[in-house]
Amino acid sequence: MRSIFFTLPCFLLLLGTPGQAQEPLLTKDEAIALVLESNLGIKVAQNTRKIDENNANILNSGYLPTVTGNAGGSIDVQNTEGQLASGDSRRADGAETRRYNASVSVNYTLFDGLGRYYNYKSFKERSQQSELEVRQTIENTILQLFTVYYEASRLTENTKNLEQALEISKQRLRRARYQFEYGQNTGLDVLNAEVDINTDSINLLNSRQLLRNTMRDLNLILNRELSEVFVTDTTVNFVPGLQMENMHNEAKENNVRIKINEKGMNINKLNIKAARSAFLPTIGLTGTYGWNESNNNSPLAFLIQNTATGVTGAVNLTWNLFDGGRAITGIKNVKIGYENQELLMKQVEQEVERDIRNAWDSYTNTLYVLEVQKKNLQTNQNNFNRTDERYKLGQVTSIEFRQAQLNLLNAELAESQAKYNAKLAELQMLQISGQLLNVDF
Protein backbone atom coordinates (compact mmCIF):
# COMPACT_ATOMS: atom_id res chain seq x y z
CA MET A 1 0.00 0.00 0.00
CA ARG A 2 2.86 2.36 0.83
CA SER A 3 4.11 2.31 -2.79
CA ILE A 4 1.13 4.33 -3.98
CA PHE A 5 2.57 7.39 -2.28
CA PHE A 6 5.67 7.23 -4.44
CA THR A 7 3.94 7.09 -7.82
CA LEU A 8 3.17 10.19 -9.88
CA PRO A 9 2.17 10.59 -13.51
CA CYS A 10 5.16 11.09 -15.72
CA PHE A 11 3.88 14.35 -17.11
CA LEU A 12 3.93 15.88 -13.62
CA LEU A 13 7.63 15.18 -13.30
CA LEU A 14 8.26 16.93 -16.59
CA LEU A 15 6.64 20.10 -15.34
CA GLY A 16 9.51 20.98 -13.07
CA THR A 17 12.04 23.21 -14.79
CA PRO A 18 11.99 22.23 -18.45
CA GLY A 19 15.22 22.55 -20.34
CA GLN A 20 14.49 24.94 -23.18
CA ALA A 21 16.72 26.85 -25.53
CA GLN A 22 17.04 30.54 -24.76
CA GLU A 23 14.38 32.32 -26.78
CA PRO A 24 15.11 35.79 -28.22
CA LEU A 25 13.69 38.83 -26.46
CA LEU A 26 11.17 40.88 -28.42
CA THR A 27 11.55 44.38 -26.99
CA LYS A 28 8.79 46.99 -27.09
CA ASP A 29 10.71 49.13 -29.57
CA GLU A 30 11.25 46.14 -31.86
CA ALA A 31 7.54 45.28 -31.66
CA ILE A 32 6.57 48.84 -32.62
CA ALA A 33 9.03 48.86 -35.52
CA LEU A 34 7.71 45.52 -36.78
CA VAL A 35 4.05 46.52 -36.56
CA LEU A 36 4.67 49.82 -38.37
CA GLU A 37 6.54 47.99 -41.11
CA SER A 38 4.46 44.86 -41.57
CA ASN A 39 0.96 45.20 -40.12
CA LEU A 40 -1.56 44.65 -42.91
CA GLY A 41 -4.16 47.06 -41.56
CA ILE A 42 -1.61 49.89 -41.49
CA LYS A 43 -0.53 49.06 -45.04
CA VAL A 44 -4.12 49.27 -46.28
CA ALA A 45 -4.56 52.65 -44.59
CA GLN A 46 -1.31 53.92 -46.11
CA ASN A 47 -2.38 52.81 -49.59
CA THR A 48 -5.69 54.64 -49.14
CA ARG A 49 -3.74 57.74 -48.20
CA LYS A 50 -1.68 57.42 -51.40
CA ILE A 51 -4.91 57.36 -53.44
CA ASP A 52 -6.08 60.55 -51.75
CA GLU A 53 -2.69 62.16 -52.34
CA ASN A 54 -2.97 61.30 -56.02
CA ASN A 55 -6.43 62.85 -56.15
CA ALA A 56 -5.07 66.04 -54.59
CA ASN A 57 -2.42 66.37 -57.30
CA ILE A 58 -2.47 69.17 -59.90
CA LEU A 59 -2.97 66.48 -62.55
CA ASN A 60 -6.43 65.81 -61.11
CA SER A 61 -7.38 69.45 -60.52
CA GLY A 62 -8.86 70.44 -63.88
CA TYR A 63 -6.45 73.39 -64.11
CA LEU A 64 -4.40 71.89 -66.92
CA PRO A 65 -5.47 71.97 -70.59
CA THR A 66 -6.51 68.92 -72.55
CA VAL A 67 -4.74 68.08 -75.81
CA THR A 68 -6.43 65.84 -78.37
CA GLY A 69 -5.00 64.41 -81.55
CA ASN A 70 -7.21 63.29 -84.44
CA ALA A 71 -6.32 61.63 -87.73
CA GLY A 72 -8.31 59.94 -90.47
CA GLY A 73 -8.40 58.83 -94.06
CA SER A 74 -10.98 57.72 -96.63
CA ILE A 75 -11.11 56.26 -100.14
CA ASP A 76 -14.05 56.94 -102.44
CA VAL A 77 -14.44 55.02 -105.75
CA GLN A 78 -17.24 56.18 -108.11
CA ASN A 79 -18.36 55.97 -111.71
CA THR A 80 -19.07 59.50 -112.94
CA GLU A 81 -20.37 61.04 -116.16
CA GLY A 82 -20.48 64.76 -116.97
CA GLN A 83 -21.23 67.13 -119.84
CA LEU A 84 -18.97 70.05 -120.70
CA ALA A 85 -20.11 73.48 -121.83
CA SER A 86 -19.08 72.63 -125.41
CA GLY A 87 -21.59 69.83 -125.43
CA ASP A 88 -19.05 67.07 -125.17
CA SER A 89 -19.61 64.45 -122.54
CA ARG A 90 -17.03 62.63 -120.52
CA ARG A 91 -17.23 59.51 -118.44
CA ALA A 92 -14.90 58.20 -115.73
CA ASP A 93 -15.28 54.65 -114.47
CA GLY A 94 -13.72 53.78 -111.12
CA ALA A 95 -12.66 57.32 -110.35
CA GLU A 96 -10.85 57.24 -107.03
CA THR A 97 -10.75 60.00 -104.43
CA ARG A 98 -8.45 59.82 -101.43
CA ARG A 99 -8.80 62.14 -98.47
CA TYR A 100 -6.47 62.46 -95.43
CA ASN A 101 -6.69 64.67 -92.38
CA ALA A 102 -4.88 65.24 -89.10
CA SER A 103 -5.29 67.79 -86.36
CA VAL A 104 -4.22 68.66 -82.82
CA SER A 105 -6.72 70.44 -80.58
CA VAL A 106 -6.09 72.21 -77.29
CA ASN A 107 -8.93 72.99 -74.88
CA TYR A 108 -8.56 75.07 -71.76
CA THR A 109 -11.17 76.22 -69.29
CA LEU A 110 -10.52 79.79 -68.20
CA PHE A 111 -13.39 79.97 -65.73
CA ASP A 112 -15.90 77.40 -64.51
CA GLY A 113 -17.61 79.29 -61.73
CA LEU A 114 -14.75 78.41 -59.30
CA GLY A 115 -15.94 74.81 -59.16
CA ARG A 116 -12.54 73.30 -59.83
CA TYR A 117 -10.91 75.66 -57.31
CA TYR A 118 -13.09 74.45 -54.46
CA ASN A 119 -12.91 70.84 -55.63
CA TYR A 120 -9.12 71.05 -55.62
CA LYS A 121 -9.13 72.45 -52.08
CA SER A 122 -11.56 69.70 -51.08
CA PHE A 123 -9.13 67.08 -52.41
CA LYS A 124 -6.38 68.69 -50.34
CA GLU A 125 -8.53 68.53 -47.22
CA ARG A 126 -9.39 64.92 -47.96
CA SER A 127 -5.68 64.12 -48.33
CA GLN A 128 -5.00 65.62 -44.89
CA GLN A 129 -7.97 63.76 -43.48
CA SER A 130 -6.55 60.53 -44.90
CA GLU A 131 -3.27 61.18 -43.07
CA LEU A 132 -5.24 61.51 -39.84
CA GLU A 133 -7.00 58.23 -40.60
CA VAL A 134 -3.61 56.56 -41.02
CA ARG A 135 -2.62 57.98 -37.64
CA GLN A 136 -5.86 56.64 -36.16
CA THR A 137 -5.15 53.19 -37.60
CA ILE A 138 -1.61 53.28 -36.21
CA GLU A 139 -2.85 54.33 -32.76
CA ASN A 140 -5.48 51.58 -32.69
CA THR A 141 -2.98 49.00 -33.91
CA ILE A 142 -0.35 49.99 -31.35
CA LEU A 143 -2.93 49.84 -28.58
CA GLN A 144 -3.98 46.41 -29.84
CA LEU A 145 -0.30 45.42 -30.04
CA PHE A 146 0.42 46.31 -26.42
CA THR A 147 -2.82 44.78 -25.20
CA VAL A 148 -1.56 41.45 -26.54
CA TYR A 149 2.11 42.17 -25.72
CA TYR A 150 1.38 42.90 -22.07
CA GLU A 151 -0.97 39.93 -21.88
CA ALA A 152 1.94 37.77 -23.04
CA SER A 153 4.13 39.41 -20.38
CA ARG A 154 1.50 38.80 -17.70
CA LEU A 155 1.17 35.15 -18.68
CA THR A 156 4.96 34.85 -18.67
CA GLU A 157 5.05 36.09 -15.08
CA ASN A 158 2.11 33.87 -14.14
CA THR A 159 3.84 30.83 -15.62
CA LYS A 160 6.98 31.54 -13.60
CA ASN A 161 4.92 31.95 -10.43
CA LEU A 162 3.08 28.71 -11.13
CA GLU A 163 6.39 26.94 -11.75
CA GLN A 164 7.62 28.17 -8.37
CA ALA A 165 4.37 27.04 -6.75
CA LEU A 166 4.78 23.59 -8.29
CA GLU A 167 8.36 23.38 -7.06
CA ILE A 168 7.23 24.30 -3.53
CA SER A 169 4.56 21.59 -3.72
CA LYS A 170 7.18 19.05 -4.83
CA GLN A 171 9.42 19.95 -1.90
CA ARG A 172 6.43 19.57 0.39
CA LEU A 173 5.73 16.12 -1.08
CA ARG A 174 9.32 15.01 -0.54
CA ARG A 175 9.17 16.21 3.07
CA ALA A 176 5.85 14.42 3.62
CA ARG A 177 7.30 11.20 2.21
CA TYR A 178 10.32 11.33 4.52
CA GLN A 179 8.08 12.00 7.49
CA PHE A 180 5.83 9.10 6.48
CA GLU A 181 8.83 6.81 6.09
CA TYR A 182 9.94 7.59 9.63
CA GLY A 183 6.44 7.37 11.04
CA GLN A 184 6.13 11.08 11.83
CA ASN A 185 2.79 11.47 9.99
CA THR A 186 0.03 9.48 8.42
CA GLY A 187 -0.31 8.87 4.70
CA LEU A 188 -2.91 11.61 4.55
CA ASP A 189 -0.25 14.35 4.28
CA VAL A 190 1.31 12.55 1.31
CA LEU A 191 -2.03 12.19 -0.40
CA ASN A 192 -2.82 15.87 0.16
CA ALA A 193 0.56 16.85 -1.26
CA GLU A 194 0.01 14.73 -4.35
CA VAL A 195 -3.43 16.25 -4.90
CA ASP A 196 -1.96 19.75 -4.64
CA ILE A 197 0.79 18.85 -7.11
CA ASN A 198 -1.84 17.64 -9.56
CA THR A 199 -3.70 20.94 -9.18
CA ASP A 200 -0.54 23.02 -9.59
CA SER A 201 0.53 20.99 -12.62
CA ILE A 202 -2.79 21.47 -14.39
CA ASN A 203 -2.71 25.21 -13.66
CA LEU A 204 0.80 25.39 -15.09
CA LEU A 205 -0.17 23.44 -18.21
CA ASN A 206 -3.12 25.75 -18.82
CA SER A 207 -0.98 28.85 -18.30
CA ARG A 208 1.62 27.63 -20.79
CA GLN A 209 -1.10 26.89 -23.33
CA LEU A 210 -2.58 30.38 -22.91
CA LEU A 211 0.90 31.86 -23.32
CA ARG A 212 1.47 29.98 -26.58
CA ASN A 213 -1.90 31.13 -27.90
CA THR A 214 -1.13 34.74 -26.99
CA MET A 215 2.24 34.52 -28.71
CA ARG A 216 0.46 33.47 -31.89
CA ASP A 217 -1.92 36.41 -31.54
CA LEU A 218 1.07 38.72 -31.24
CA ASN A 219 2.74 37.20 -34.31
CA LEU A 220 -0.50 37.75 -36.23
CA ILE A 221 -0.51 41.47 -35.38
CA LEU A 222 3.16 41.70 -36.36
CA ASN A 223 2.45 39.81 -39.62
CA ARG A 224 5.07 37.18 -38.84
CA GLU A 225 5.11 33.41 -38.96
CA LEU A 226 2.72 32.18 -36.28
CA SER A 227 5.30 29.64 -35.10
CA GLU A 228 7.88 32.34 -34.34
CA VAL A 229 9.13 31.94 -30.76
CA PHE A 230 10.28 34.76 -28.47
CA VAL A 231 9.90 36.18 -24.99
CA THR A 232 8.45 39.57 -24.07
CA ASP A 233 9.77 42.23 -21.74
CA THR A 234 7.96 42.16 -18.39
CA THR A 235 9.26 45.57 -17.33
CA VAL A 236 6.54 48.19 -17.06
CA ASN A 237 7.37 51.90 -16.94
CA PHE A 238 4.67 54.49 -16.31
CA VAL A 239 4.64 58.00 -17.76
CA PRO A 240 5.36 60.40 -14.90
CA GLY A 241 3.54 63.63 -14.11
CA LEU A 242 0.21 63.00 -15.84
CA GLN A 243 -2.53 65.41 -14.77
CA MET A 244 -6.24 65.36 -15.51
CA GLU A 245 -6.44 68.98 -16.64
CA ASN A 246 -3.59 68.57 -19.10
CA MET A 247 -5.04 65.34 -20.46
CA HIS A 248 -8.43 67.00 -20.86
CA ASN A 249 -6.94 69.93 -22.81
CA GLU A 250 -4.81 67.63 -24.94
CA ALA A 251 -7.87 65.57 -25.84
CA LYS A 252 -9.71 68.66 -27.08
CA GLU A 253 -6.75 69.75 -29.19
CA ASN A 254 -5.23 66.51 -30.43
CA ASN A 255 -7.79 63.71 -30.33
CA VAL A 256 -7.67 62.09 -33.75
CA ARG A 257 -11.45 61.58 -33.99
CA ILE A 258 -12.03 65.29 -33.44
CA LYS A 259 -9.34 66.14 -36.01
CA ILE A 260 -10.89 63.85 -38.61
CA ASN A 261 -14.33 65.37 -38.11
CA GLU A 262 -12.90 68.89 -38.38
CA LYS A 263 -11.55 67.98 -41.80
CA GLY A 264 -14.95 66.53 -42.69
CA MET A 265 -16.60 69.86 -41.85
CA ASN A 266 -14.07 71.72 -44.00
CA ILE A 267 -14.77 69.39 -46.91
CA ASN A 268 -18.52 69.96 -46.60
CA LYS A 269 -18.01 73.75 -46.58
CA LEU A 270 -16.03 73.50 -49.80
CA ASN A 271 -18.66 71.22 -51.32
CA ILE A 272 -21.29 73.93 -50.74
CA LYS A 273 -19.13 76.50 -52.51
CA ALA A 274 -18.38 74.11 -55.35
CA ALA A 275 -22.10 73.40 -55.81
CA ARG A 276 -22.80 77.12 -56.24
CA SER A 277 -20.53 77.20 -59.30
CA ALA A 278 -23.42 75.66 -61.26
CA PHE A 279 -25.07 79.11 -61.31
CA LEU A 280 -22.07 80.78 -63.01
CA PRO A 281 -20.95 80.62 -66.66
CA THR A 282 -18.08 78.60 -68.06
CA ILE A 283 -15.53 80.29 -70.32
CA GLY A 284 -13.15 78.21 -72.39
CA LEU A 285 -10.49 78.48 -75.08
CA THR A 286 -10.04 76.08 -77.97
CA GLY A 287 -7.29 75.96 -80.55
CA THR A 288 -6.73 73.56 -83.45
CA TYR A 289 -3.95 73.01 -85.94
CA GLY A 290 -5.15 70.89 -88.86
CA TRP A 291 -3.88 69.37 -92.10
CA ASN A 292 -6.11 68.07 -94.93
CA GLU A 293 -5.18 66.52 -98.28
CA SER A 294 -7.38 65.27 -101.12
CA ASN A 295 -6.33 63.32 -104.25
CA ASN A 296 -8.79 62.82 -107.13
CA ASN A 297 -7.88 61.01 -110.36
CA SER A 298 -11.20 61.75 -112.06
CA PRO A 299 -10.83 63.65 -115.36
CA LEU A 300 -13.94 65.60 -114.41
CA ALA A 301 -12.36 66.99 -111.24
CA PHE A 302 -11.37 70.63 -111.18
CA LEU A 303 -8.52 69.97 -108.75
CA ILE A 304 -6.56 66.75 -108.88
CA GLN A 305 -4.80 67.32 -105.56
CA ASN A 306 -5.68 69.71 -102.77
CA THR A 307 -3.71 70.28 -99.56
CA ALA A 308 -4.69 72.64 -96.76
CA THR A 309 -3.19 73.47 -93.38
CA GLY A 310 -4.30 76.04 -90.87
CA VAL A 311 -4.82 77.13 -87.30
CA THR A 312 -8.15 77.96 -85.75
CA GLY A 313 -8.92 79.39 -82.33
CA ALA A 314 -12.11 80.18 -80.48
CA VAL A 315 -13.43 81.48 -77.20
CA ASN A 316 -16.67 79.99 -75.98
CA LEU A 317 -18.99 80.87 -73.15
CA THR A 318 -21.56 78.46 -71.73
CA TRP A 319 -24.13 79.52 -69.20
CA ASN A 320 -26.68 77.01 -68.02
CA LEU A 321 -29.48 79.40 -67.13
CA PHE A 322 -31.80 76.68 -65.83
CA ASP A 323 -31.13 72.97 -65.50
CA GLY A 324 -34.53 71.91 -64.27
CA GLY A 325 -33.66 72.53 -60.62
CA ARG A 326 -30.89 69.97 -60.21
CA ALA A 327 -28.35 72.59 -59.10
CA ILE A 328 -30.71 74.00 -56.47
CA THR A 329 -31.42 70.52 -55.15
CA GLY A 330 -27.71 69.74 -55.04
CA ILE A 331 -26.96 72.83 -52.93
CA LYS A 332 -29.76 71.99 -50.51
CA ASN A 333 -28.41 68.48 -50.08
CA VAL A 334 -24.82 69.52 -49.43
CA LYS A 335 -26.05 72.05 -46.86
CA ILE A 336 -27.91 69.27 -45.08
CA GLY A 337 -24.74 67.21 -45.24
CA TYR A 338 -22.86 70.04 -43.54
CA GLU A 339 -25.50 70.26 -40.81
CA ASN A 340 -25.14 66.52 -40.24
CA GLN A 341 -21.38 66.95 -39.98
CA GLU A 342 -21.89 69.65 -37.35
CA LEU A 343 -24.15 67.36 -35.34
CA LEU A 344 -21.65 64.52 -35.67
CA MET A 345 -18.90 66.86 -34.48
CA LYS A 346 -20.85 67.73 -31.33
CA GLN A 347 -21.48 64.05 -30.69
CA VAL A 348 -17.79 63.19 -31.10
CA GLU A 349 -16.76 66.02 -28.77
CA GLN A 350 -19.16 64.77 -26.10
CA GLU A 351 -17.93 61.20 -26.52
CA VAL A 352 -14.30 62.30 -26.25
CA GLU A 353 -15.16 64.33 -23.14
CA ARG A 354 -16.74 61.24 -21.60
CA ASP A 355 -13.94 58.94 -22.72
CA ILE A 356 -11.12 61.07 -21.29
CA ARG A 357 -12.87 61.40 -17.94
CA ASN A 358 -13.60 57.67 -17.79
CA ALA A 359 -10.04 56.88 -18.85
CA TRP A 360 -8.58 59.15 -16.16
CA ASP A 361 -10.75 57.59 -13.46
CA SER A 362 -9.82 54.12 -14.66
CA TYR A 363 -6.12 55.08 -14.75
CA THR A 364 -6.05 56.52 -11.21
CA ASN A 365 -8.11 53.61 -9.89
CA THR A 366 -5.81 50.98 -11.40
CA LEU A 367 -2.75 52.78 -9.99
CA TYR A 368 -4.32 52.70 -6.54
CA VAL A 369 -5.19 49.01 -6.93
CA LEU A 370 -1.60 48.34 -8.01
CA GLU A 371 -0.21 49.96 -4.86
CA VAL A 372 -2.61 47.95 -2.70
CA GLN A 373 -1.67 44.72 -4.45
CA LYS A 374 2.03 45.44 -4.00
CA LYS A 375 1.51 45.82 -0.25
CA ASN A 376 -0.69 42.75 -0.20
CA LEU A 377 2.00 40.76 -2.02
CA GLN A 378 4.62 41.82 0.49
CA THR A 379 2.35 40.85 3.37
CA ASN A 380 1.63 37.43 1.88
CA GLN A 381 5.32 36.89 1.13
CA ASN A 382 6.22 37.56 4.76
CA ASN A 383 3.37 35.34 5.93
CA PHE A 384 4.48 32.48 3.70
CA ASN A 385 8.11 32.76 4.83
CA ARG A 386 7.07 32.54 8.48
CA THR A 387 4.64 29.69 7.78
CA ASP A 388 7.34 27.81 5.85
CA GLU A 389 9.73 28.08 8.81
CA ARG A 390 7.08 26.89 11.25
CA TYR A 391 6.06 24.06 8.88
CA LYS A 392 9.64 22.80 8.84
CA LEU A 393 9.55 22.81 12.64
CA GLY A 394 6.23 20.94 12.67
CA GLN A 395 4.37 23.84 14.26
CA VAL A 396 1.73 24.19 11.51
CA THR A 397 -0.21 21.63 9.53
CA SER A 398 0.12 20.92 5.83
CA ILE A 399 -3.32 22.47 5.29
CA GLU A 400 -2.17 25.74 6.87
CA PHE A 401 1.01 25.63 4.80
CA ARG A 402 -0.99 25.07 1.61
CA GLN A 403 -3.28 27.98 2.44
CA ALA A 404 -0.31 30.29 2.93
CA GLN A 405 1.14 29.06 -0.38
CA LEU A 406 -2.13 29.71 -2.21
CA ASN A 407 -2.43 33.16 -0.64
CA LEU A 408 1.03 34.03 -1.88
CA LEU A 409 0.34 32.68 -5.37
CA ASN A 410 -2.95 34.58 -5.63
CA ALA A 411 -1.24 37.76 -4.44
CA GLU A 412 1.48 37.35 -7.08
CA LEU A 413 -1.08 36.83 -9.84
CA ALA A 414 -3.21 39.75 -8.63
CA GLU A 415 -0.21 42.09 -8.46
CA SER A 416 0.83 41.13 -11.98
CA GLN A 417 -2.70 41.65 -13.28
CA ALA A 418 -2.95 45.04 -11.56
CA LYS A 419 0.37 46.17 -13.04
CA TYR A 420 -0.63 45.48 -16.61
CA ASN A 421 -4.17 46.78 -16.11
CA ALA A 422 -2.71 50.09 -14.95
CA LYS A 423 -0.38 50.29 -17.94
CA LEU A 424 -3.16 49.55 -20.43
CA ALA A 425 -5.39 52.15 -18.74
CA GLU A 426 -2.56 54.65 -19.16
CA LEU A 427 -2.16 53.82 -22.85
CA GLN A 428 -5.91 54.16 -23.46
CA MET A 429 -5.90 57.57 -21.82
CA LEU A 430 -2.88 58.65 -23.87
CA GLN A 431 -4.63 57.56 -27.05
CA ILE A 432 -7.76 59.57 -26.24
CA SER A 433 -5.63 62.62 -25.45
CA GLY A 434 -3.75 62.25 -28.74
CA GLN A 435 -0.41 61.60 -27.04
CA LEU A 436 0.00 57.88 -27.62
CA LEU A 437 2.62 58.29 -30.35
CA ASN A 438 4.61 60.84 -28.36
CA VAL A 439 5.64 58.74 -25.35
CA ASP A 440 8.03 55.91 -24.63
CA PHE A 441 6.50 52.54 -23.96
Side-chain angles (χ1 to χ4, degrees), residues 154-217:
R154 185 186 71 84
L155 290 170
T156 299
E157 289 186 350
N158 288 0
T159 301
K160 291 180 180 179
N161 291 330
L162 290 169
E163 288 173 352
Q164 292 174 0
L166 178 61
E167 185 59 31
I168 292 173
S169 295
K170 287 183 176 181
Q171 293 174 3
R172 175 185 155 207
L173 175 63
R174 286 193 291 269
R175 186 181 297 118
R177 283 175 174 173
Y178 293 147
Q179 292 174 343
F180 177 75
E181 285 290 329
Y182 292 99
Q184 296 179 359
N185 65 22
T186 65
L188 183 61
D189 287 341
V190 178
L191 289 173
N192 288 336
E194 288 185 350
V195 170
D196 291 338
I197 283 182
N198 287 338
T199 301
D200 293 343
S201 301
I202 292 172
N203 292 337
L204 179 57
L205 282 172
N206 290 335
S207 180
R208 286 176 175 173
Q209 180 61 51
L210 288 174
L211 179 57
R212 288 193 294 270
N213 293 346
T214 305
M215 292 297 187
R216 295 187 189 99
D217 293 338

Side-chain angles (χ1 to χ4, degrees), residues 29 32 35-36 42 134-147 150 237 239 242 247 250-251 254-256 356 422-441:
D29 290 338
I32 293 174
V35 80
L36 292 178
I42 292 178
V134 172
R135 172 188 151 189
Q136 184 180 43
T137 301
I138 291 175
E139 287 183 358
N140 291 336
T141 304
I142 287 180
L143 187 60
Q144 180 189 18
L145 165 69
F146 279 106
T147 299
Y150 285 132
N237 298 315
V239 179
L242 295 180
M247 291 294 98
E250 291 290 347
N254 299 311
N255 181 270
V256 69
I356 192 63
K423 184 59 181 179
L424 289 176
E426 179 190 80
L427 294 181
Q428 290 170 351
M429 183 181 60
L430 290 171
Q431 181 195 23
I432 297 170
S433 65
Q435 301 299 310
L436 183 62
L437 304 181
N438 301 328
V439 296
D440 295 328
F441 296 93

Side-chain angles (χ1 to χ4, degrees), residues 254-272:
N254 299 311
N255 181 270
V256 69
R257 290 182 62 198
I258 293 178
K259 291 290 186 182
I260 289 174
N261 279 276
E262 286 176 350
K263 291 299 178 183
M265 292 185 65
N266 293 339
I267 291 172
N268 276 274
K269 286 181 181 178
L270 294 171
N271 289 341
I272 293 174

Side-chain angles (χ1 to χ4, degrees), residues 320-340:
N320 195 351
L321 299 177
F322 183 68
D323 64 353
R326 286 188 295 272
I328 297 175
T329 302
I331 291 178
K332 288 181 179 180
N333 289 339
V334 294
K335 285 183 177 180
I336 294 173
Y338 179 73
E339 292 176 2
N340 286 340

Side-chain angles (χ1 to χ4, degrees), residues 276-439:
R276 288 172 178 163
S277 66
F279 296 116
L280 298 176
T282 300
I283 302 174
L285 292 177
T286 60
T288 303
Y289 174 80
W291 168 81
N292 292 275
E293 179 177 303
S294 176
N295 294 305
N296 192 341
N297 64 0
S298 173
L300 300 179
F302 178 73
L303 293 175
I304 301 302
Q305 181 174 355
N306 180 35
T307 302
T309 58
V311 178
T312 60
V315 178
N316 56 74
L317 183 147
T318 303
W319 197 336
N320 195 351
L321 299 177
F322 183 68
D323 64 353
R326 286 188 295 272
I328 297 175
T329 302
I331 291 178
K332 288 181 179 180
N333 289 339
V334 294
K335 285 183 177 180
I336 294 173
Y338 179 73
E339 292 176 2
N340 286 340
Q341 194 70 41
E342 284 183 317
L343 296 173
L344 182 60
M345 185 66 178
K346 291 180 181 179
Q347 180 180 357
V348 170
E349 289 175 345
Q350 290 177 347
E351 291 176 351
V352 171
E353 177 83 14
R354 176 206 61 193
D355 292 345
I356 192 63
R357 292 184 182 276
N358 289 348
W360 177 261
D361 287 346
S362 177
Y363 170 66
T364 54
N365 183 69
T366 53
L367 285 181
Y368 175 77
V369 171
L370 175 59
E371 291 302 317
V372 172
Q373 293 294 354
K374 285 181 178 179
K375 294 177 181 179
N376 186 50
L377 175 60
Q378 186 62 46
T379 301
N380 279 279
Q381 183 67 61
N382 295 335
N383 179 64
F384 175 76
N385 292 338
R386 294 179 60 184
T387 304
D388 186 41
E389 293 175 0
R390 297 180 63 189
Y391 180 67
K392 292 177 181 177
L393 297 174
Q395 297 176 351
V396 297
T397 65
S398 61
I399 296 177
E400 292 173 322
F401 177 84
R402 177 62 175 177
Q403 187 60 51
Q405 179 191 9
L406 291 179
N407 290 341
L408 175 60
L409 176 61
N410 291 333
E412 290 172 337
L413 300 181
E415 189 272 342
S416 178
Q417 181 73 66
K419 176 175 64 174
Y420 293 110
N421 284 346
K423 184 59 181 179
L424 289 176
E426 179 190 80
L427 294 181
Q428 290 170 351
M429 183 181 60
L430 290 171
Q431 181 195 23
I432 297 170
S433 65
Q435 301 299 310
L436 183 62
L437 304 181
N438 301 328
V439 296

Side-chain angles (χ1 to χ4, degrees), residues 52-68:
D52 291 321
E53 287 178 350
N54 292 336
N55 290 336
N57 192 279
I58 188 66
L59 297 176
N60 191 48
S61 66
Y63 276 105
L64 299 180
T66 60
V67 181
T68 306

